[in-house]
Amino acid sequence: MANILASVDQRTKLVGENRLELLLFSVNSTQLFAINVFKVKEVVKLPPLNAMPGSHPHISGVANIRGISIPVIDLRSAIGFRPMPPDDNANMIITEYNRSVQGFLVGKVEHIINMTWSDILPPPKMAGRNNYLTAITRIEHQGRSQLVSIIDVEKVLAEIIHYDVSLSEGVLDETLAHEMPGRKILIVDDSSTARRQVRDTLGQLGIEIIEASDGLQALTLLQKWRDEGKQVAKELLMMITDAEMPEMDGYKLTSEVRSDKAMADLYITLNTSLSGSFNHAMVEKVGCDKFISKFQPDLLVEVVQERLRQIINH
Protein backbone atom coordinates (compact mmCIF):
# COMPACT_ATOMS: atom_id res chain seq x y z
CA MET A 1 0.00 0.00 0.00
CA ALA A 2 2.85 2.38 0.79
CA ASN A 3 3.96 2.30 -2.85
CA ILE A 4 0.54 2.51 -4.52
CA LEU A 5 0.93 6.27 -5.08
CA ALA A 6 4.71 6.35 -5.44
CA SER A 7 4.55 7.52 -9.05
CA VAL A 8 1.75 10.04 -8.64
CA ASP A 9 3.99 12.98 -9.59
CA GLN A 10 4.76 11.29 -12.91
CA ARG A 11 1.06 10.94 -13.67
CA THR A 12 0.40 14.63 -14.17
CA LYS A 13 0.92 14.25 -17.90
CA LEU A 14 -2.54 12.65 -18.04
CA VAL A 15 -4.20 15.88 -17.01
CA GLY A 16 -4.75 18.09 -20.03
CA GLU A 17 -5.20 14.99 -22.20
CA ASN A 18 -8.77 14.58 -20.95
CA ARG A 19 -7.61 11.61 -18.88
CA LEU A 20 -7.57 10.85 -15.18
CA GLU A 21 -6.66 8.14 -12.73
CA LEU A 22 -9.00 6.93 -10.03
CA LEU A 23 -8.14 5.35 -6.70
CA LEU A 24 -10.70 2.58 -6.07
CA PHE A 25 -11.83 1.64 -2.58
CA SER A 26 -14.79 0.19 -0.71
CA VAL A 27 -16.81 1.44 2.23
CA ASN A 28 -19.08 -1.58 2.36
CA SER A 29 -19.01 -5.12 1.01
CA THR A 30 -20.88 -4.54 -2.25
CA GLN A 31 -19.93 -1.22 -3.87
CA LEU A 32 -16.81 0.32 -5.37
CA PHE A 33 -16.12 4.02 -4.85
CA ALA A 34 -13.38 6.26 -6.22
CA ILE A 35 -11.65 9.61 -5.95
CA ASN A 36 -9.17 11.22 -8.32
CA VAL A 37 -5.55 10.28 -7.63
CA PHE A 38 -4.49 13.92 -7.88
CA LYS A 39 -6.39 14.70 -4.67
CA VAL A 40 -4.61 11.90 -2.80
CA LYS A 41 -1.41 12.47 -0.84
CA GLU A 42 -1.03 9.07 0.80
CA VAL A 43 -2.80 5.81 1.69
CA VAL A 44 -2.07 4.16 5.04
CA LYS A 45 -3.55 1.57 7.34
CA LEU A 46 -5.77 3.33 9.85
CA PRO A 47 -3.53 4.56 12.69
CA PRO A 48 -4.72 5.03 16.30
CA LEU A 49 -7.11 7.97 16.51
CA ASN A 50 -7.43 10.58 19.23
CA ALA A 51 -10.97 11.61 20.09
CA MET A 52 -12.16 15.14 19.33
CA PRO A 53 -14.85 16.01 21.89
CA GLY A 54 -17.56 18.21 20.39
CA SER A 55 -16.51 17.55 16.80
CA HIS A 56 -18.86 16.78 13.92
CA PRO A 57 -20.38 13.27 14.22
CA HIS A 58 -18.75 12.18 10.93
CA ILE A 59 -15.27 12.92 12.29
CA SER A 60 -13.87 9.74 13.84
CA GLY A 61 -10.94 11.49 15.48
CA VAL A 62 -7.51 12.89 14.76
CA ALA A 63 -4.54 10.91 13.42
CA ASN A 64 -0.95 11.93 14.00
CA ILE A 65 1.04 11.37 10.81
CA ARG A 66 4.72 12.28 11.14
CA GLY A 67 3.94 15.02 13.63
CA ILE A 68 0.97 16.46 11.72
CA SER A 69 -2.54 16.22 13.16
CA ILE A 70 -5.05 15.19 10.50
CA PRO A 71 -8.82 15.05 11.09
CA VAL A 72 -10.26 11.73 9.96
CA ILE A 73 -13.71 11.64 8.38
CA ASP A 74 -15.75 8.43 8.38
CA LEU A 75 -16.62 8.47 4.68
CA ARG A 76 -19.15 5.67 5.04
CA SER A 77 -21.28 7.58 7.53
CA ALA A 78 -20.71 10.89 5.72
CA ILE A 79 -22.39 9.57 2.55
CA GLY A 80 -25.35 8.04 4.37
CA PHE A 81 -24.35 4.54 5.46
CA ARG A 82 -23.83 3.17 8.97
CA PRO A 83 -20.54 4.26 10.61
CA MET A 84 -17.48 2.19 9.75
CA PRO A 85 -15.86 0.19 12.54
CA PRO A 86 -12.11 0.94 12.85
CA ASP A 87 -11.15 -2.71 12.38
CA ASP A 88 -8.22 -4.46 10.71
CA ASN A 89 -9.67 -3.82 7.23
CA ALA A 90 -9.81 -0.06 7.72
CA ASN A 91 -7.54 2.25 5.73
CA MET A 92 -7.07 6.00 5.65
CA ILE A 93 -6.84 7.98 2.42
CA ILE A 94 -5.07 11.27 3.10
CA THR A 95 -6.24 13.97 0.71
CA GLU A 96 -5.80 17.65 0.02
CA TYR A 97 -8.90 19.60 -0.96
CA ASN A 98 -9.41 23.35 -0.96
CA ARG A 99 -6.01 23.97 0.65
CA SER A 100 -6.73 21.68 3.62
CA VAL A 101 -5.54 18.17 4.46
CA GLN A 102 -7.89 15.52 5.81
CA GLY A 103 -8.08 11.76 6.05
CA PHE A 104 -10.98 9.58 4.97
CA LEU A 105 -11.70 6.36 6.83
CA VAL A 106 -12.52 3.69 4.23
CA GLY A 107 -12.44 -0.07 3.92
CA LYS A 108 -10.29 -1.98 1.47
CA VAL A 109 -8.26 0.12 -0.98
CA GLU A 110 -8.14 -1.69 -4.32
CA HIS A 111 -5.89 -0.15 -6.98
CA ILE A 112 -5.53 2.74 -9.40
CA ILE A 113 -7.25 2.70 -12.80
CA ASN A 114 -6.49 4.89 -15.81
CA MET A 115 -9.59 6.36 -17.49
CA THR A 116 -10.59 8.96 -20.02
CA TRP A 117 -13.04 11.66 -18.91
CA SER A 118 -15.31 10.65 -21.78
CA ASP A 119 -15.83 7.34 -19.91
CA ILE A 120 -16.96 9.22 -16.82
CA LEU A 121 -20.67 10.04 -16.77
CA PRO A 122 -22.81 12.28 -14.53
CA PRO A 123 -24.92 10.41 -11.96
CA PRO A 124 -28.44 9.58 -13.12
CA LYS A 125 -30.88 12.47 -12.72
CA MET A 126 -33.18 10.11 -10.84
CA ALA A 127 -30.56 10.02 -8.08
CA GLY A 128 -31.83 13.42 -6.90
CA ARG A 129 -29.96 16.45 -5.64
CA ASN A 130 -28.89 15.01 -2.32
CA ASN A 131 -26.66 12.20 -3.58
CA TYR A 132 -22.93 12.29 -2.84
CA LEU A 133 -21.66 11.51 -6.33
CA THR A 134 -20.17 13.75 -8.98
CA ALA A 135 -19.97 10.96 -11.54
CA ILE A 136 -20.12 7.24 -12.25
CA THR A 137 -18.24 4.88 -14.52
CA ARG A 138 -18.11 1.15 -15.24
CA ILE A 139 -15.01 -1.06 -15.13
CA GLU A 140 -14.06 -4.71 -15.39
CA HIS A 141 -13.29 -5.81 -11.84
CA GLN A 142 -12.63 -9.35 -10.64
CA GLY A 143 -13.93 -10.81 -13.88
CA ARG A 144 -17.18 -8.86 -14.06
CA SER A 145 -18.47 -5.47 -15.06
CA GLN A 146 -18.93 -3.28 -12.01
CA LEU A 147 -20.24 0.23 -11.41
CA VAL A 148 -17.89 2.71 -9.74
CA SER A 149 -19.29 5.72 -7.88
CA ILE A 150 -17.06 8.82 -7.80
CA ILE A 151 -17.50 10.71 -4.55
CA ASP A 152 -18.38 14.41 -4.44
CA VAL A 153 -15.81 15.15 -1.74
CA GLU A 154 -16.57 18.86 -1.86
CA LYS A 155 -20.16 18.15 -0.84
CA VAL A 156 -18.97 15.88 1.98
CA LEU A 157 -16.58 18.54 3.27
CA ALA A 158 -19.12 21.37 2.94
CA GLU A 159 -21.49 19.50 5.25
CA ILE A 160 -18.75 19.19 7.89
CA ILE A 161 -16.85 22.48 7.42
CA HIS A 162 -18.88 25.66 7.11
CA TYR A 163 -17.79 27.60 4.03
CA ASP A 164 -18.59 31.25 4.57
CA VAL A 165 -19.42 33.17 1.38
CA SER A 166 -19.49 36.57 3.11
CA LEU A 167 -16.88 39.04 1.89
CA SER A 168 -14.25 40.77 3.96
CA GLU A 169 -14.58 44.48 4.55
CA GLY A 170 -13.04 46.50 1.77
CA VAL A 171 -13.09 43.75 -0.87
CA LEU A 172 -16.01 45.20 -2.81
CA ASP A 173 -15.03 48.10 -5.03
CA GLU A 174 -17.97 50.49 -4.68
CA THR A 175 -16.95 52.32 -7.87
CA LEU A 176 -17.78 49.15 -9.83
CA ALA A 177 -21.13 48.42 -8.14
CA HIS A 178 -23.21 49.96 -10.94
CA GLU A 179 -21.26 47.96 -13.56
CA MET A 180 -22.07 44.54 -12.07
CA PRO A 181 -25.84 44.01 -12.66
CA GLY A 182 -26.54 42.40 -16.01
CA ARG A 183 -23.04 40.98 -16.45
CA LYS A 184 -22.98 37.22 -17.04
CA ILE A 185 -20.55 34.58 -15.82
CA LEU A 186 -20.58 30.92 -16.86
CA ILE A 187 -19.71 28.53 -14.00
CA VAL A 188 -18.60 25.04 -15.04
CA ASP A 189 -18.28 22.46 -12.26
CA ASP A 190 -19.51 18.91 -11.73
CA SER A 191 -20.04 19.52 -8.00
CA SER A 192 -23.37 21.18 -7.27
CA THR A 193 -21.88 22.27 -3.94
CA ALA A 194 -18.96 24.03 -5.64
CA ARG A 195 -21.34 25.73 -8.12
CA ARG A 196 -23.53 26.92 -5.27
CA GLN A 197 -20.52 28.36 -3.41
CA VAL A 198 -19.48 30.39 -6.46
CA ARG A 199 -23.08 31.36 -7.26
CA ASP A 200 -23.78 32.55 -3.70
CA THR A 201 -20.52 34.52 -3.64
CA LEU A 202 -20.94 36.29 -6.97
CA GLY A 203 -24.68 36.65 -6.56
CA GLN A 204 -23.90 39.32 -3.97
CA LEU A 205 -22.57 41.46 -6.82
CA GLY A 206 -25.77 41.30 -8.86
CA ILE A 207 -24.09 39.22 -11.57
CA GLU A 208 -26.19 36.76 -13.58
CA ILE A 209 -24.86 33.21 -13.17
CA ILE A 210 -25.18 30.56 -15.88
CA GLU A 211 -24.29 27.01 -14.85
CA ALA A 212 -22.94 23.91 -16.61
CA SER A 213 -22.11 20.63 -14.87
CA ASP A 214 -19.32 19.47 -17.17
CA GLY A 215 -16.95 20.74 -19.84
CA LEU A 216 -18.83 19.23 -22.78
CA GLN A 217 -22.10 20.84 -21.66
CA ALA A 218 -20.34 24.18 -21.41
CA LEU A 219 -18.66 23.85 -24.80
CA THR A 220 -21.97 22.88 -26.43
CA LEU A 221 -23.59 25.99 -24.96
CA LEU A 222 -20.77 28.26 -26.15
CA GLN A 223 -20.89 26.75 -29.64
CA LYS A 224 -24.66 27.26 -29.74
CA TRP A 225 -24.20 30.95 -28.94
CA ARG A 226 -21.48 31.19 -31.57
CA ASP A 227 -23.73 29.61 -34.20
CA GLU A 228 -26.50 32.06 -33.27
CA GLY A 229 -24.13 34.88 -34.14
CA LYS A 230 -23.41 35.95 -30.56
CA GLN A 231 -19.95 37.19 -29.63
CA VAL A 232 -19.13 34.82 -26.79
CA ALA A 233 -16.36 36.97 -25.29
CA LYS A 234 -18.78 39.90 -25.08
CA GLU A 235 -21.74 37.78 -23.97
CA LEU A 236 -19.82 36.66 -20.87
CA LEU A 237 -17.71 38.61 -18.42
CA MET A 238 -15.78 35.35 -17.95
CA MET A 239 -16.02 31.59 -17.63
CA ILE A 240 -15.04 30.02 -14.31
CA THR A 241 -14.28 26.33 -14.72
CA ASP A 242 -13.27 23.41 -12.54
CA ALA A 243 -10.43 21.16 -13.71
CA GLU A 244 -11.91 17.69 -13.18
CA MET A 245 -15.30 16.97 -14.74
CA PRO A 246 -17.10 14.10 -16.50
CA GLU A 247 -16.96 13.84 -20.29
CA MET A 248 -14.59 16.82 -20.72
CA ASP A 249 -12.24 18.33 -18.14
CA GLY A 250 -11.55 22.04 -17.68
CA TYR A 251 -8.18 21.91 -19.44
CA LYS A 252 -9.67 20.31 -22.54
CA LEU A 253 -12.57 22.77 -22.44
CA THR A 254 -10.14 25.70 -22.33
CA SER A 255 -8.09 24.24 -25.17
CA GLU A 256 -11.23 23.82 -27.31
CA VAL A 257 -12.32 27.40 -26.67
CA ARG A 258 -8.86 28.81 -27.44
CA SER A 259 -8.68 26.89 -30.73
CA ASP A 260 -11.97 28.40 -31.96
CA LYS A 261 -11.35 31.87 -33.42
CA ALA A 262 -14.94 32.90 -32.79
CA MET A 263 -14.58 32.59 -29.01
CA ALA A 264 -10.82 32.42 -28.40
CA ASP A 265 -10.88 35.76 -26.54
CA LEU A 266 -13.18 34.50 -23.77
CA TYR A 267 -11.65 35.23 -20.35
CA ILE A 268 -11.22 31.92 -18.50
CA THR A 269 -10.49 31.38 -14.82
CA LEU A 270 -9.59 27.92 -13.51
CA ASN A 271 -11.14 27.36 -10.06
CA THR A 272 -10.08 24.03 -8.63
CA SER A 273 -9.14 22.15 -5.47
CA LEU A 274 -6.18 20.47 -7.20
CA SER A 275 -2.65 21.42 -6.11
CA GLY A 276 -1.61 24.98 -6.90
CA SER A 277 1.89 24.53 -8.35
CA PHE A 278 0.73 21.92 -10.84
CA ASN A 279 -2.23 24.00 -11.93
CA HIS A 280 -0.19 27.12 -12.52
CA ALA A 281 1.82 25.10 -15.06
CA MET A 282 -1.37 23.73 -16.66
CA VAL A 283 -2.91 27.22 -16.81
CA GLU A 284 0.00 28.37 -18.95
CA LYS A 285 -0.10 25.24 -21.11
CA VAL A 286 -3.77 25.43 -22.09
CA GLY A 287 -4.19 29.20 -21.95
CA CYS A 288 -6.31 30.05 -18.92
CA ASP A 289 -6.16 33.68 -17.81
CA LYS A 290 -6.30 33.07 -14.05
CA PHE A 291 -6.03 30.30 -11.49
CA ILE A 292 -7.86 30.30 -8.14
CA SER A 293 -7.66 27.45 -5.65
CA LYS A 294 -11.02 26.69 -4.01
CA PHE A 295 -12.71 28.11 -2.00
CA GLN A 296 -11.74 31.78 -1.57
CA PRO A 297 -14.70 34.19 -1.85
CA ASP A 298 -12.59 37.36 -1.50
CA LEU A 299 -10.15 36.27 -4.22
CA LEU A 300 -13.00 35.19 -6.49
CA VAL A 301 -14.60 38.64 -6.23
CA GLU A 302 -11.24 40.37 -6.74
CA VAL A 303 -10.67 38.40 -9.97
CA VAL A 304 -14.13 39.36 -11.24
CA GLN A 305 -13.54 43.02 -10.40
CA GLU A 306 -10.11 42.95 -12.02
CA ARG A 307 -11.64 41.61 -15.23
CA LEU A 308 -14.36 44.23 -15.14
CA ARG A 309 -11.76 46.99 -14.80
CA GLN A 310 -9.94 45.61 -17.84
CA ILE A 311 -13.14 45.84 -19.91
CA ILE A 312 -14.04 49.33 -18.68
CA ASN A 313 -10.54 50.70 -19.26
CA HIS A 314 -10.03 48.99 -22.61
Side-chain angles (χ1 to χ4, degrees):
M1 184 65 63
N3 296 323
I4 193 169
L5 299 172
S7 61
V8 68
D9 289 338
Q10 300 168 15
R11 301 170 185 272
T12 56
K13 63 182 182 294
L14 294 176
V15 182
E17 303 298 330
N18 211 40
R19 301 189 67 83
L20 77 160
E21 287 187 317
L22 296 174
L23 178 65
L24 302 180
F25 59 90
S26 63
V27 297
N28 55 33
S29 59
T30 57
Q31 292 175 268
L32 276 179
F33 293 88
I35 60 175
N36 194 313
V37 164
F38 287 111
K39 303 289 181 67
V40 178
K41 295 174 68 70
E42 194 174 354
V43 180
V44 298
K45 293 298 293 183
L46 183 67
L49 300 180
N50 297 314
M52 287 183 66
S55 63
H56 192 281
H58 294 327
I59 295 181
S60 299
V62 174
N64 189 293
I65 304 294
R66 292 181 292 280
I68 299 174
S69 296
I70 298 175
V72 180
I73 298 166
D74 182 343
L75 190 56
R76 188 158 87 176
S77 70
I79 62 174
F81 295 108
R82 288 182 300 167
M84 174 169 284
D87 55 25
D88 292 342
N89 295 319
N91 290 282
M92 182 170 73
I93 302 175
I94 302 173
T95 67
E96 183 172 0
Y97 280 83
N98 301 353
R99 298 166 294 117
S100 68
V101 176
Q102 53 281 311
F104 288 104
L105 170 59
V106 301
K108 183 181 178 183
V109 175
E110 296 283 345
H111 55 275
I112 291 171
I113 56 170
N114 185 320
M115 305 285 291
T116 173
W117 276 112
S118 59
D119 296 325
I120 310 296
L121 302 174
K125 291 183 179 179
M126 291 289 287
R129 292 186 176 182
N130 294 322
N131 72 84
Y132 289 89
L133 307 181
T134 56
I136 58 172
T137 190
R138 189 169 288 278
I139 65 166
E140 289 297 317
H141 181 67
Q142 297 179 345
R144 64 188 179 93
S145 177
Q146 191 164 348
L147 194 69
V148 176
S149 300
I150 301 172
I151 298 289
D152 185 349
V153 177
E154 286 167 302
K155 178 178 172 65
V156 171
L157 292 176
E159 293 182 355
I160 296 172
I161 305 165
H162 175 64
Y163 289 103
D164 189 358
V165 301
S166 61
L167 303 175
S168 301
E169 188 175 350
V171 169
L172 278 178
D173 185 343
E174 298 299 334
T175 65
L176 295 174
H178 68 286
E179 293 281 355
M180 300 286 189
R183 303 279 183 175
K184 299 176 183 177
I185 291 178
L186 174 61
I187 302 172
V188 192
D189 202 305
D190 59 334
S191 170
S192 59
T193 297
R195 293 198 306 273
R196 186 183 71 246
Q197 289 170 340
V198 176
R199 185 177 68 239
D200 291 350
T201 300
L202 299 184
Q204 300 173 78
L205 309 182
I207 289 173
E208 180 182 339
I209 302 299
I210 302 165
E211 298 183 36
S213 58
D214 63 65
L216 183 59
Q217 188 181 102
L219 182 62
T220 301
L221 174 62
L222 295 175
Q223 290 171 336
K224 177 176 177 288
W225 287 350
R226 176 203 63 194
D227 294 344
E228 290 172 351
K230 294 180 180 179
Q231 292 181 276
V232 170
K234 290 187 177 180
E235 190 76 19
L236 294 171
L237 180 61
M238 67 171 64
M239 178 171 70
I240 299 173
T241 180
D242 187 21
E244 311 165 273
M245 294 176 288
E247 300 196 81
M248 180 181 290
D249 67 24
Y251 305 112
K252 180 69 172 174
L253 169 61
T254 301
S255 180
E256 291 289 330
V257 170
R258 291 288 180 249
S259 65
D260 188 324
K261 290 182 180 179
M263 50 187 174
D265 293 337
L266 177 62
Y267 194 92
I268 302 175
T269 296
L270 189 72
N271 184 41
T272 174
S273 53
L274 286 169
S275 64
S277 58
F278 169 69
N279 269 298
H280 282 296
M282 286 304 302
V283 162
E284 289 187 18
K285 180 180 177 181
V286 301
C288 288
D289 295 285
K290 280 285 183 180
F291 163 69
I292 310 173
S293 59
K294 294 177 180 176
F295 170 64
Q296 303 182 75
D298 287 354
L299 184 54
L300 194 60
V301 168
E302 286 172 1
V303 167
V304 170
Q305 293 182 150
E306 179 186 329
R307 174 56 181 157
L308 194 50
R309 290 188 197 102
Q310 290 175 355
I311 292 173
I312 294 170
N313 297 327
H314 183 68

